[in-house]
Amino acid sequence: MKILMVAGEANPFVKTGGLADVCYSLAKSLVKKKHDVSIVIPFYKKIKDQLFNEAKLIKTFPIYMSWRIQYCGIYKYIYEGITYYFVDNEQYFYRDGIYSFDDDIERFAYFDLAVNEMLFNLDLQYDIVHLHDWQSGMLPLLFKTDFRVNLSTYNPKFVLTIHNPAFQGKFDPYYLGDFFNLSREFYDNGTVRFDECCSFLKAAIVLSDKITTVSLTHAKELLNGDHAYGLDNVIRFRDQDFIGITNGIDYDEFNPSKDKFIKNYNVNNAYEIKKINKIELLKQFNLKNPNLPLFVVVSRLTFQKGISLILDAIPHISGKANIFILGSGEKDLEDRAEFLRKCYSENLAIYLGYNDELAHKLYAAGDFFLMPSLYEPCGIGQMIAHRYGTLPIVRRTGGLIDTVNGYDGTNKEFADGLDFNDYALQGLLGPCMSALDIFKKVDLHKKLIVNSMKRVHDWDTSTEKYIKMYKDLLK
Ligand code: GLC
C-alpha cells in the first residue's frame, strides 16, 4: 500500500509531543512490513537549517488563499526508508518555534492547501492519506471539493488519528472563504461547525473514512464524553467508523541493552545496573544520597500531564526520595518548579528544556516514573519506563489504564507499576508512599522490575491493526 502521513510534526526532525514519535515509529514499522510510506510536514526553520544541503527541491507551485498568492516549495528527503516531504514557505514556517503563533490557523490552512496541491501535482497516487490531529484536518474537505478531483481515477481513503482532543483548530467562519476559498455553506450545513466556530478537527471527523484514537480506553472516553472536549457529540455520529488502536514505542530507540547513553542492562541484571546508572546521574547533578529511591519525570510541563500534582507532592516526598524533572512547557509550572528547586536542592533536580540524552539517562536511572496525567489519550513515557524497568506511577485514565497494571498488594505476579484514581494530591501521595515501601522490599521490587521489562509495547501488533483497517477501506 502507498500511505501518506500528514502532520504538524514528526521525528526525527521536529517534535513537541508524542504525536511526532508515533508518526515516525508507525511509519517505520509499516516500511518494515514492505509498505510505501511518506510523511509530509512543514519545512520549519530547524529542519531547513539542518537539511538544506540534503533535502531536494522537487516542485514549486503557487497556493491561492483568496486574495493571497503564496509560494510553495516541496522538498524531498529519504530517511530510514520513509520518504519525507517538507512544505516550504518561509513566511509561515521559517521561524523559531513550531506552534502557538497568532497566525497558526493561517499557517495550517496554507499547509493543508499545499498538501492538497501536492496530491494533485505530484502524481503520487496514495491509497491512504493518514491525518494526525487538527493541523491536517481540512484536507479531506479541500480534496473532496476540488474541481480537479476524479474519484474514478484517484480515490485515496482518509484516516484521522486523534492524539489530543483538546486541540481542535478553531477559527471564525469568515476564514472559510478568506483562507480556504470555501463557501459558508460548510459552516451552515455543519461540516466544519463546532462551538459556533469552524474547526479543522471537526471537519476531519465528519469527512474521514475512518477515525482512530491512540488507546482503547480513550476511544471509550471520547464516546462517553470523558475528557472529550466536546467531541463526543461529533464522534458518536461516526461511531461505526471509530476505533482505538493503542500506540507502541520505538524498540530500536528505547532499548536498555543497547542504549548508547547509559550503562547497559537487561532483565537479568537490571536491579544492580540501574543502581550504577543512578549513582552516576545523581553525582552529575549534585543530588545527595543514592540510597534513596529516585522518582523521575520526563514530560511536557503542561496541565494535561498533572505536573501541578507532582509539584504539590514534592515537599511530601523530598527527603524520603530524590526527584528529577526533565521537560519544558507552561511558564507558571516552570516557575514553580524553579522555586521548589531552591527549597529542596539536596533532593530535587530540574532540567527545563528538551534533552534526549538526559531523558534516556533518567529512564535508566529512575526507580519510579511519575505520570499522574489529568487525561492521557495514550502516553508514551510509561511504556518507555516499563522497558527500562522504571516502575510507572500513573493516574487511571485513558491509555494509562490500558498499559499499566497497578500493584495492589496481591497481584505481584503481573503488576508492573502503581496507579490511583483521584486527581488530587492525596491521590498521588498514596502510590508514592507505596513506592517507598516497595523500594525497601528488595524481592518485591525486583519482581515488579522484571514484570515491567517483560511487558510488550512494540509496534508490531498495533501496526497490523492499522494495516487491517487500511485494507478494509480499500476493499
Ligand atoms: C498526544 C497525547 C498522548 C499520546 C501522544 C501520541 O501527545 O497527549 O497521550 O501518547 O499524543 O499519540
Side-chain angles (χ1 to χ4, degrees), residues 165-185:
F167 304 115
Q168 304 170 338
K170 286 195 203 164
F171 61 94
D172 189 289
Y174 168 77
Y175 293 111
L176 270 179
D178 192 56
F179 292 156
F180 296 99
N181 322 308
L182 290 168
S183 92
R184 202 188 145 92
E185 103 185 61

Side-chain angles (χ1 to χ4, degrees), residues 18-19 22 163-164 214 247 300 304-305 376-380:
L19 147 65
V22 170
H163 298 262
N164 197 331
V214 288
N247 288 332
R300 282 181 290 125
Q304 179 201 339
K305 300 292 177 180
E376 197 61 80
C378 179
I380 292 181

Side-chain angles (χ1 to χ4, degrees), residues 213-378:
T213 189
V214 288
S215 69
L216 300 177
T217 298
H218 192 57
K220 285 185 209 143
E221 291 173 343
L222 286 182
L223 283 168
N224 69 22
D226 217 5
H227 302 294
Y229 291 87
L231 292 181
D232 45 323
N233 294 320
V234 187
I235 290 180
R236 274 199 294 271
F237 278 110
R238 298 294 319 270
D239 62 352
Q240 297 301 313
D241 299 307
F242 175 58
I243 55 168
I245 301 180
T246 306
N247 288 332
I249 53 167
D250 187 334
Y251 266 37
D252 301 330
E253 187 184 351
F254 299 107
N255 181 354
S257 63
K258 294 217 175 96
D259 190 323
K260 62 176 186 267
F261 298 124
I262 61 166
K263 188 166 170 55
N264 295 128
Y265 57 90
N266 56 41
V267 68
N268 300 318
N269 59 10
Y271 184 80
E272 291 74 27
I273 309 282
K274 277 177 76 61
K275 251 191 200 147
I276 302 177
N277 281 306
K278 176 157 87 176
I279 292 169
E280 246 330 278
L281 180 85
L282 296 191
K283 209 161 51 189
Q284 195 186 341
F285 285 89
N286 286 325
L287 290 179
K288 305 279 176 316
N289 203 349
N291 295 322
L292 295 179
L294 173 63
F295 289 75
V296 296
V297 179
V298 180
S299 177
R300 282 181 290 125
L301 304 185
T302 64
F303 78 99
Q304 179 201 339
K305 300 292 177 180
I307 302 301
S308 61
L309 281 191
I310 296 176
L311 298 178
D312 289 346
I314 284 172
H316 302 267
I317 306 174
S318 174
K320 303 184 187 85
N322 288 312
I323 304 135
F324 201 130
I325 301 178
L326 162 63
S328 64
E330 290 160 14
K331 175 99 178 44
D332 60 323
L333 294 172
E334 291 188 354
D335 289 349
R336 272 177 67 198
E338 279 292 357
F339 173 76
L340 285 165
R341 177 180 33 200
K342 291 188 191 116
C343 308
Y344 300 98
S345 56
E346 289 211 346
N347 292 119
L348 176 64
I350 313 259
Y351 184 103
L352 292 180
Y354 181 70
N355 182 326
D356 200 35
E357 175 171 347
L358 186 55
H360 282 245
K361 287 184 168 163
L362 292 190
Y363 285 116
D367 296 298
F368 301 96
F369 182 83
L370 290 173
M371 197 161 176
S373 304
L374 175 62
Y375 70 94
E376 197 61 80
C378 179

